[in-house]
Structures are given as structure tokens and as C-alpha cells.
């Protein structure tokens, strides 16, 4: 686990980092109460991010599914870039990339790329507004 700068973790935040995994959290980011991060391989959270309560971030399903001799649900990194705001009760799954300045609305399940400077909301998560200005 690598903390670059000042990071604030609220009450009840749980962080699990696997053997040989890398979790990077960058400066001026805060993660509020009861959020959970499950890092089996690689998760990076940028600078100036606001992660609300009850958010779950995971780069793995934490179990394997096999077809013959092949794992079909391989782990994938999660990247949350700079100036991102994540609403409460969001789940961010493996392979997700949330680009600079994006806002993810409450209750979303994210499993894909989210554009920079947009608002993503709903279930399934989709872009509802583009070209927003910096929220901070």
C-alpha cells in the first residue's frame, strides 16, 4: 500500500491488500465511513478524490471460475484518476477506469470506462452529462 501525500480515511473504512498487490492512494483524497477496498493485484486512486460512504472498490471477483483449464474471470486493475467524486453506495468493479474530473452518482455499479469531466449515474451506470467543470 502506497500513500502519496495526505489521505483521509473515515471511520469503518476497510482496506485489504493481497500479497504482491499494489494499492496506491494519492494526495488530498478522502474515503468516508464504511467504504471497502479489496486489492488483489492493482488499484490506483488519484489526487483530490472524494469517495463517499459505503463504496466498494475491487479489482477481482475474489474467486476463480474455470472452463476446462482456463480461468474466465481474470482480475483486472481499477484506475480512478484525479479530481473524481464517487457518490454513496457505489460499487466499482475490476477493469473500471474513471477518468479525471468525473462524478459517479449514488448507487451505481461501475464496470467500464467513465469519461473525464462527466456525470455518470443510474443502473446500469451511463453518462448522463458531459463537459462538466471541476466540482472542487
Amino acid at each position: 500500500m502506497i500513500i502519496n501525500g495526505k489521505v483521509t480515511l473515515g471511520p469503518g473504512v476497510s482496506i485489504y491488500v493481497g500479497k504482491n498487490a499494489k494499492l496506491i492512494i494519492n494526495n488530498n483524497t478522502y474515503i468516508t465511513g464504511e467504504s471497502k477496498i479489496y486489492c488483489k493485484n492493482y488499484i490506483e486512486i488519484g489526487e483530490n478524490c472524494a469517495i463517499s460512504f459505503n463504496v466498494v472498490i475491487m479489482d477481482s471477483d475474489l474467486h476463480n471460475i474455470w472452463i476446462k483449464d482456463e480461468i474466465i474471470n481474470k482480475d483486472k486493475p481499477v484506475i480512478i484518476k484525479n479530481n473524481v467524486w464517487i457518490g454513496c453506495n457505489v460499487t466499482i468493479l475490476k477493469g473500471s477506469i474513471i477518468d479525471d474530473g468525473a462524478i459517479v452518482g449514488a448507487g451505481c455499479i461501475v464496470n467500464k470506462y467513465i469519461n473525464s469531466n462527466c456525470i455518470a449515474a443510474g443502473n446500469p451506470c451511463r453518462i448522463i452529462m458531459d463537459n462538466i467543470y471541476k466540482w472542487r
Side-chain angles (χ1 to χ4, degrees), residues 45-61:
I45 302 171
E47 294 184 350
N48 304 311
C49 292
I51 299 175
S52 190
F53 61 90
N54 290 326
V55 171
V56 175
I57 302 169
M58 51 197 312
D59 65 354
S60 172
D61 295 334

Side-chain angles (χ1 to χ4, degrees), residues 24-43:
I24 302 169
I25 306 174
N26 288 295
N27 190 44
N28 202 35
T29 285
Y30 66 86
I31 303 170
T32 59
E34 304 301 323
S35 290
K36 295 174 178 32
I37 299 174
Y38 300 95
C39 180
K40 189 173 175 193
N41 288 293
Y42 188 84
I43 296 174

Side-chain angles (χ1 to χ4, degrees), residues 1 16-23 39-43 59:
M1 183 166 155
Y16 305 92
V17 180
K19 185 177 182 180
N20 300 318
K22 186 182 273 187
L23 169 63
C39 180
K40 189 173 175 193
N41 288 293
Y42 188 84
I43 296 174
D59 65 354

Side-chain angles (χ1 to χ4, degrees), residues 37-97:
I37 299 174
Y38 300 95
C39 180
K40 189 173 175 193
N41 288 293
Y42 188 84
I43 296 174
E44 183 168 358
I45 302 171
E47 294 184 350
N48 304 311
C49 292
I51 299 175
S52 190
F53 61 90
N54 290 326
V55 171
V56 175
I57 302 169
M58 51 197 312
D59 65 354
S60 172
D61 295 334
L62 303 175
H63 60 81
N64 293 327
I65 299 173
W66 295 80
I67 292 183
K68 297 186 181 183
D69 293 332
E70 184 180 350
I71 297 171
I72 63 167
N73 66 329
K74 293 182 176 152
D75 302 338
K76 297 177 186 170
V78 171
I79 310 292
I80 300 170
K81 295 193 178 177
N82 300 319
N83 303 305
V84 170
W85 182 13
I86 307 293
C88 64
N89 299 311
V90 169
T91 300
I92 301 171
L93 299 174
K94 66 183 186 181
S96 297
I97 299 172

